[in-house]
């Protein structure tokens, strides 16, 4: 998830164009992450040292790690650590950007450092995010200062991210939507969680995004929003909410939930918290509110 | 796994019914019935009395717990397996307290369904 999120950070900082990012995200599926990229990412080596090792590699039949150790740039322990880190998602993006010549290793490393500084992340927090800690990433997206939103929606969003990755799309990327106007969507699936911590939950999507979620969850290609498609998106929300209830129960909060409902051409209004959920095949909105009684859905 | 079991699927989700039916067909169950909510399930149980029932919990009209209570009143030996995404301890205790045979967490896996079928066959010795 961090890979996609960091890609959008690069886009917003105008270090990449949208086309370059889309191309790199697609291309990263086929790349092999090279040692030099990881060594710079981990700040074990400078880009210049990596270049030097690459030059030496052209002259001798040795691996990158061996040459770097010979030159005193890496220890054997660091080589071992780099091997085990080779599968981190964002490194595939880094390698794709370098291979496509959209960025140099140095520019990527500088952007990573800027990201860390701008988000006031400690080394430990940053490592955890890079290593796939969705909880920390979601907390970071929500804004560390906003404790209220974190406590209300943080757990729900973290789990939603995990379930999106698990069941729908591993290239998911969240953006907090600051719109306060009522949301109008082709399709809205809603489910209300009731109990001591009530929560209105809904997925709002245009037809294309709706069919994308439905097709993946139903495990068959759905080309029109029929009963099965409506049901598939409903079931995904229901499954996710069910797991959320189990988690909350394990933390001592017992909740139940009402049946889901699908509403066509709906406008949702009230005190809502909106999250744009971007997938590889389009975006939809996750609509949440801790005041379900104030939510209005009009057709 | 050939067997003589008649099985009732009660779930408001078309998708879940479709997937569960496919799994039960692979397990070669003799008869597969479907109900879209608890009311329909109770009526079907009274008429057909299936060997095994897979029951969702969160459903419109009559939910799974209410249906379970009525089914157990009608037939205290009924084997009702609660199948839900809400596998909280409270729900589990509630369902088992009303006499549920078992509880499986969604998403339903082939293994979980097949294990239940195998358990019922062993207990009832109804396989062919």
């Amino acid at each position: 998830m961090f890979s996609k999120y960091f890609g959008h950070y690069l886009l917003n900082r105008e270090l990449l164009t949208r086309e370059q990012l889309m191309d790199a995200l697609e291309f990263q599926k086929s790349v092999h992450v090279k040692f030099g990229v990881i060594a710079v990412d981990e700040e074990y080596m400078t880009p210049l040292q990596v270049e030097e090792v690459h030059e030496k590699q052209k002259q001798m039949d040795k691996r990158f790690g061996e040459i770097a150790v010979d030159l005193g740039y890496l220890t054997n322990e660091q080589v071992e650590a780099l091997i085990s880190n080779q599968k981190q998602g964002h490194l595939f993006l880094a390698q794709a950007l370098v291979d496509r010549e959209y960025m140099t290793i140095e520019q990527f490393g500088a952007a990573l450092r800027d990201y860390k500084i701008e988000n006031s992340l400690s080394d430990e927090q940053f490592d955890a995010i890079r290593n796939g800690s969705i909880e920390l990433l979601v907390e970071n997206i929500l804004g560390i200062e906003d404790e209220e939103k974190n406590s209300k929606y943080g757990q729900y969003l973290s789990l939603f991210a995990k379930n999106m990755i698990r069941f729908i799309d591993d290239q998911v990327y969240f953006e907090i939507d600051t719109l306060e106007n009522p949301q109008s969507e082709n399709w809205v699936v809603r489910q209300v969680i009731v109990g001591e911590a009530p929560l209105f939950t809904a997925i709002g999507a245009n037809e294309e995004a709706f069919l994308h979620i439905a097709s993946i969850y139903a495990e068959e290609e759905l080309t029109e929003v029929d009963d099965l498609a409506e049901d598939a998106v409903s079931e995904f929300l229901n499954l996710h909410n069910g797991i959320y209830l189990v988690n909350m129960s394990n933390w001592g909060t017992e909740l139940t939930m009402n049946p889901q409902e699908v509403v066509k051409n709906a406008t949702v209004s009230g005190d809502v918290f909106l999250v744009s959920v971007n997938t590889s095949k389009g975006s939809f909105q996750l609509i949440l509110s801790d005041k379900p009684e104030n939510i209005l859905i009009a057709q | 796994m050939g067997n003589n079991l008649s099985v009732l699927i009660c779930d408001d989700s078309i998708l879940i019914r479709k997937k569960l039916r496919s799994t039960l067909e692979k397990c070669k169950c003799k008869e597969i019935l479907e109900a879209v909510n608890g009311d329909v399930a109770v009526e079907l149980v009274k008429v057909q009395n299936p060997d095994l029932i897979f029951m969702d919990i969160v459903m419109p009209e009559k939910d799974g717990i209410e249906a379970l209570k009525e089914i157990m009143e009608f037939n205290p030996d009924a084997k009702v397996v609660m199948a839900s995404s809400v596998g909280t301890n409270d729900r589990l205790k509630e369902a088992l307290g009303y006499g549920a045979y078992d509880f499986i967490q969604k998403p339903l896996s082939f293994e979980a369904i097949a294990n239940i079928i195998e358990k019922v066959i062993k207990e009832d010795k109804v396989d062919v």
Side-chain angles (χ1 to χ4, degrees), chain A residues 133-237:
Chain A
S133 168
I134 287 174
E135 284 81 3
L136 268 175
L137 183 57
V138 166
E139 193 176 284
N140 186 227
I141 297 167
L142 284 172
I144 290 164
E145 328 68 54
D146 200 337
E147 281 183 19
E148 193 191 345
K149 278 204 179 89
N150 258 322
S151 68
K152 277 185 197 168
Y153 307 117
Q155 300 287 358
Y156 189 91
L157 268 185
S158 298
L159 182 66
F160 193 78
K162 287 179 194 168
N163 284 332
M164 278 296 296
I165 291 167
R166 186 175 167 204
F167 296 109
I168 308 291
D169 194 322
D170 63 3
Q171 289 293 313
V172 67
Y173 162 70
F174 287 174
E175 281 174 302
I176 305 306
D177 210 325
T178 51
L179 288 175
E180 288 177 4
N181 296 323
Q183 297 304 292
S184 185
E185 294 287 359
N186 294 137
W187 296 95
V188 170
V189 179
R190 66 167 170 180
Q191 184 165 43
V192 176
I193 294 170
V194 293
E196 55 188 281
L199 194 63
F200 170 90
T201 70
I203 287 173
N206 62 25
E207 190 157 315
E208 191 187 354
F210 195 89
L211 284 172
H212 173 56
I213 306 168
S215 297
I216 292 177
Y217 197 70
E219 296 174 326
E220 62 182 275
E221 190 61 34
L222 301 171
T223 54
E224 58 175 330
V225 181
D226 54 11
D227 289 349
L228 183 61
E230 287 184 24
D231 193 72
V233 180
S234 292
E235 265 308 301
F236 170 62
L237 183 63

Side-chain angles (χ1 to χ4, degrees), chain A:
Chain A
M1 189 180 180
F2 179 66
S3 162
K4 190 89 186 284
Y5 191 72
F6 188 66
H8 279 80
Y9 169 81
L10 297 175
L11 187 67
N12 292 332
R13 293 283 307 271
E14 297 182 348
L15 293 167
L16 286 178
T17 65
R18 183 165 292 278
E19 291 70 30
Q20 287 174 332
L21 174 61
M22 290 302 125
D23 180 54
L25 286 170
E26 185 58 33
F27 184 66
Q28 69 172 349
K29 294 172 188 167
S30 61
V31 303
H32 174 70
V33 180
K34 297 189 181 75
F35 239 68
V37 170
I38 321 172
V40 171
D41 182 71
E42 288 289 337
E43 297 182 349
Y44 289 163
M45 292 174 71
T46 67
L48 274 179
Q49 290 171 335
V50 169
E51 282 310 308
E52 189 185 341
V53 175
H54 281 156
E55 285 305 311
K56 294 267 181 202
Q57 261 188 308
K58 291 175 189 166
Q59 300 157 4
M60 58 181 80
D61 181 27
K62 275 191 169 183
R63 292 175 179 221
F64 184 98
E66 290 175 86
I67 298 171
V69 171
D70 289 346
L71 290 172
Y73 295 149
L74 292 175
T75 64
N76 285 318
E77 290 73 26
Q78 285 173 326
V79 172
E80 289 300 315
L82 293 179
I83 291 170
S84 66
N85 284 349
Q86 221 159 356
K87 290 192 175 166
Q88 286 187 59
H90 74 290
L91 292 175
F92 289 93
L93 176 64
Q95 190 65 60
L97 291 170
V98 171
D99 286 356
R100 290 296 222 205
E101 297 184 350
Y102 295 148
M103 293 183 92
T104 63
I105 299 177
E106 194 166 19
Q107 287 170 327
F108 190 86
L112 267 181
R113 283 194 296 279
D114 288 347
Y115 175 86
K116 182 181 155 192
I117 293 164
E118 283 175 28
N119 290 285
S120 312
L121 294 168
S122 68
D123 288 346
E124 291 74 21
Q125 286 171 322
F126 192 46
D127 282 348
I129 285 176
R130 286 192 302 175
N131 287 320
S133 168
I134 287 174
E135 284 81 3
L136 268 175
L137 183 57
V138 166
E139 193 176 284
N140 186 227
I141 297 167
L142 284 172
I144 290 164
E145 328 68 54
D146 200 337
E147 281 183 19
E148 193 191 345
K149 278 204 179 89
N150 258 322
S151 68
K152 277 185 197 168
Y153 307 117
Q155 300 287 358
Y156 189 91
L157 268 185
S158 298
L159 182 66
F160 193 78
K162 287 179 194 168
N163 284 332
M164 278 296 296
I165 291 167
R166 186 175 167 204
F167 296 109
I168 308 291
D169 194 322
D170 63 3
Q171 289 293 313
V172 67
Y173 162 70
F174 287 174
E175 281 174 302
I176 305 306
D177 210 325
T178 51
L179 288 175
E180 288 177 4
N181 296 323
Q183 297 304 292
S184 185
E185 294 287 359
N186 294 137
W187 296 95
V188 170
V189 179
R190 66 167 170 180
Q191 184 165 43
V192 176
I193 294 170
V194 293
E196 55 188 281
L199 194 63
F200 170 90
T201 70
I203 287 173
N206 62 25
E207 190 157 315
E208 191 187 354
F210 195 89
L211 284 172
H212 173 56
I213 306 168
S215 297
I216 292 177
Y217 197 70
E219 296 174 326
E220 62 182 275
E221 190 61 34
L222 301 171
T223 54
E224 58 175 330
V225 181
D226 54 11
D227 289 349
L228 183 61
E230 287 184 24
D231 193 72
V233 180
S234 292
E235 265 308 301
F236 170 62
L237 183 63
N238 184 56
L239 176 76
H240 161 68
N241 282 338
I243 299 171
Y244 175 70
L245 261 58
V246 173
N247 283 355
M248 292 299 283
S249 172
N250 291 338
W251 296 322
T253 304
E254 293 299 334
L255 301 165
T256 57
M257 58 194 191
N258 295 336
Q260 327 80 289
E261 190 187 352
V262 180
V263 191
K264 192 178 177 185
N265 294 328
T267 301
V268 180
S269 58
D271 185 7
V272 292
F273 176 60
L274 301 171
V275 181
S276 285
V277 181
N278 305 295
T279 73
S280 59
K281 296 275 171 59
S283 304
F284 65 88
Q285 274 192 321
L286 178 66
I287 308 164
L288 303 174
S289 175
D290 64 335
K291 297 183 181 67
E293 68 280 6
N294 293 342
I295 300 300
L296 289 174
I297 297 188
Q299 272 184 294

Side-chain angles (χ1 to χ4, degrees), chain A residues 217 220 231 235 238 242 254, chain B residues 13-15 18-19 85 87 90:
Chain A
Y217 197 70
E220 62 182 275
D231 193 72
E235 265 308 301
N238 184 56
E254 293 299 334
Chain B
S13 161
I14 307 165
L15 180 66
K18 193 177 165 190
K19 287 187 173 180
S85 59
D90 277 14

Side-chain angles (χ1 to χ4, degrees), chain B residues 52-94:
Chain B
L52 178 62
I53 301 155
F54 286 99
M55 179 75 72
D56 184 21
I57 293 183
V58 180
M59 287 185 290
E61 314 291 332
K62 185 169 285 168
D63 74 15
I65 297 288
E66 285 305 312
L68 167 68
K69 284 195 250 180
E70 290 186 31
I71 289 170
M72 297 314 290
E73 269 174 35
F74 172 76
N75 176 10
D77 295 326
K79 292 185 170 62
V80 184
V81 176
M82 307 310 284
S84 174
S85 59
V86 194
T88 63
N89 283 337
D90 277 14
R91 278 284 157 132
L92 187 60
K93 276 185 213 161
E94 188 182 22

